Amino acid sequence: MNSACITQAAFSVSDVSEIIEVSEDALRGWLARNVTSYSGQKAGHRLWFTGRDIYFFSILRDLAAFGVSIRIAMYTAERLVDEAGEKGPLRDEVLVVRLDDDKTSFVRISRYEIGEVEDACLYLPLASIWSRIMERASAKYATEAN
C-alpha cells in the first residue's frame, strides 16, 4: 500500500465514487450534507480527497445502506476514522450495529467475540474495509501517477 495515498489529497469525486462503488450523485449528496471534517480539500473548483476520506465514505456507504440515518452514520464514521489514524483499525476489529425502533447502537468488538453478541443486525469488519479501500486507492494512485 502506498502510504502517501492515505494522507495526500489526490483523489477526485469520480475517483472516490469508483473506489467505494457508489454513484457520483450519491457521493455529492453526502458531501452536501456532510457535518464532519471528511469533506475533501478544495483546490480551484475541484474537491480532492485522501485515503482517510475514502475510508470515511466507505463506512458511511455501508451504514447508510443498512438504514442508519445519514447524520448518525457520518458521526460514527468520523469517530471510527479518527480512531483508526493512519495505520488503520486493529486487525480483528468489527463494528456491530443494531437498529431498534428509535435507536441505533454501535459496539466495537474483536471478531473473536462475535459469537457472544446477540441480536446484532450488521457486522462491519473494519480492517477488511480499510484494506480493500486502501488497495483500491493505491492502485488508482499508482495509475494516476504514471
Side-chain angles (χ1 to χ4, degrees), residues 31-85:
L31 286 167
R33 295 187 282 174
N34 199 348
V35 292
T36 73
S37 59
Y38 294 99
S39 54
Q41 299 171 15
K42 196 162 193 156
H45 295 289
R46 297 192 71 182
L47 281 174
W48 296 97
F49 301 90
T50 67
R52 287 171 47 86
D53 294 325
I54 297 169
Y55 181 54
F56 167 84
F57 285 109
S58 182
I59 293 171
L60 176 62
R61 174 205 60 208
D62 292 345
L63 292 174
F66 182 67
V68 176
S69 77
I70 293 299
R71 285 201 186 256
I72 292 172
M74 285 179 176
Y75 288 127
T76 302
E78 178 181 44
R79 181 177 47 84
L80 292 169
V81 175
D82 287 348
E83 291 172 1

Side-chain angles (χ1 to χ4, degrees), residues 2 11-12 18 28 33 38 50 52-53 62 66 75 80-82 84 87 90 98 101 112 122 136 139 141:
N2 186 333
F11 303 96
S12 67
E18 180 182 325
R28 289 183 191 281
R33 295 187 282 174
Y38 294 99
T50 67
R52 287 171 47 86
D53 294 325
D62 292 345
F66 182 67
Y75 288 127
L80 292 169
V81 175
D82 287 348
K87 296 189 189 275
L90 297 175
R98 289 187 185 96
D101 293 331
Y112 302 109
L122 174 68
R136 295 183 71 144
Y141 186 82

Side-chain angles (χ1 to χ4, degrees), residues 13-24:
V13 169
S14 64
D15 293 336
V16 174
S17 68
E18 180 182 325
I19 291 168
I20 67 169
E21 301 177 282
V22 299
S23 70
E24 283 187 43

Side-chain angles (χ1 to χ4, degrees), residues 26 28 37 43 59 65 67 84 89 94 96 113-114 119 123 126:
R28 289 183 191 281
S37 59
I59 293 171
V94 175
V96 178
E113 298 172 293
I114 287 177
D119 300 329
Y123 296 100
L126 299 174

Side-chain angles (χ1 to χ4, degrees), residues 106-118:
F106 304 93
V107 178
R108 254 190 325 197
I109 62 171
S110 162
R111 67 184 165 129
Y112 302 109
E113 298 172 293
I114 287 177
E116 301 170 19
V117 176
E118 296 178 14

